[in-house]
Amino acid sequence: MSTQIIFQGFVVLHLIGFLLFAGTSVADFVGFRQFWKQYDLDKSKAATVMQAISVFPVLMRVGIGLIILSGIGIMYMTHGVFGEQLWFRVKFGLVIVIILNTFLFGQRQKKQLKKSFETSAGTAQKIRSNISLFHTVQLLFVFIIILLSVYKFN
Ligand code: HEM
């Protein structure tokens, strides 16, 4: 198999991972908007929405895993040449922020929300604004990463 085909295979996997990650991030954002709408009206319906959207973080993890593995593959095939370019360094920093945002912040807030929802422990106002911040950071940074990856500013 030629190196060109292997390289293109990594790019295809990178874009599939990107599709999964960015797609489910948007779906998670839209799903949460529905959740909060129902939360204010009818908590039993909100529970159903919560159940439906709880699968998204799993797909996000699969997506980010695929992105990282294929990204490493691309770097290997290109002998790390992108690693010296400014756009890539900024992108890499943003990827780290996105990973921390997903695992240290977003996931924790969602767990707390589930807990407070199940035990009916008061309103979840603070968690609501934290999850909104999580989605803003996630979507904004993914957008900047797309710009950096395509335009490769230097
Ligand atoms: C949330 C994370 C990421 C997203 C959304 C993302 C998205 C993208 C997109 C849309 C492209 C453009 C593909 C093209 O022009 O054909 C790209 C290219 C690239 N990505 Fe990523 N990426 C991410 C993380 C990573 C990571 C972690 C690495 C390295 C370990 C990486 C390495 C690369 C490289 C080297 C290219 C240039 C490929 C080329 O133009 O030949 N990416 N990425």
Side-chain angles (χ1 to χ4, degrees), residues 7 11 14 18 67 71 74-75 82 88 91 95 145 149 152:
F7 171 75
V11 176
H14 203 61
F18 159 62
I67 286 175
I74 294 172
M75 294 299 282
F82 291 117
F88 183 80
K91 167 178 169 165
V95 171
I145 287 176
S149 306
K152 298 188 172 70

Side-chain angles (χ1 to χ4, degrees), residues 79-146:
H79 309 289
V81 70
F82 291 117
E84 285 150 30
Q85 300 174 2
L86 181 66
W87 71 270
F88 183 80
R89 291 184 177 188
V90 176
K91 167 178 169 165
F92 202 78
L94 296 184
V95 171
I96 304 280
V97 174
I98 278 192
I99 291 172
L100 295 179
N101 189 44
T102 302
F103 293 104
L104 296 185
F105 187 53
Q107 218 164 46
R108 245 183 234 177
Q109 295 305 316
K110 289 176 190 171
K111 261 189 201 150
Q112 280 184 19
L113 174 64
K114 235 180 180 173
K115 224 190 234 169
S116 87
F117 192 59
E118 281 163 4
T119 57
S120 307
T123 58
Q125 208 50 49
K126 177 81 183 139
I127 302 174
R128 186 176 186 155
S129 60
N130 281 346
I131 289 180
S132 165
L133 177 65
F134 159 73
H135 282 128
T136 307
V137 170
Q138 198 82 340
L139 297 179
L140 181 68
F141 282 25
V142 166
F143 180 65
I144 298 173
I145 287 176
I146 297 170

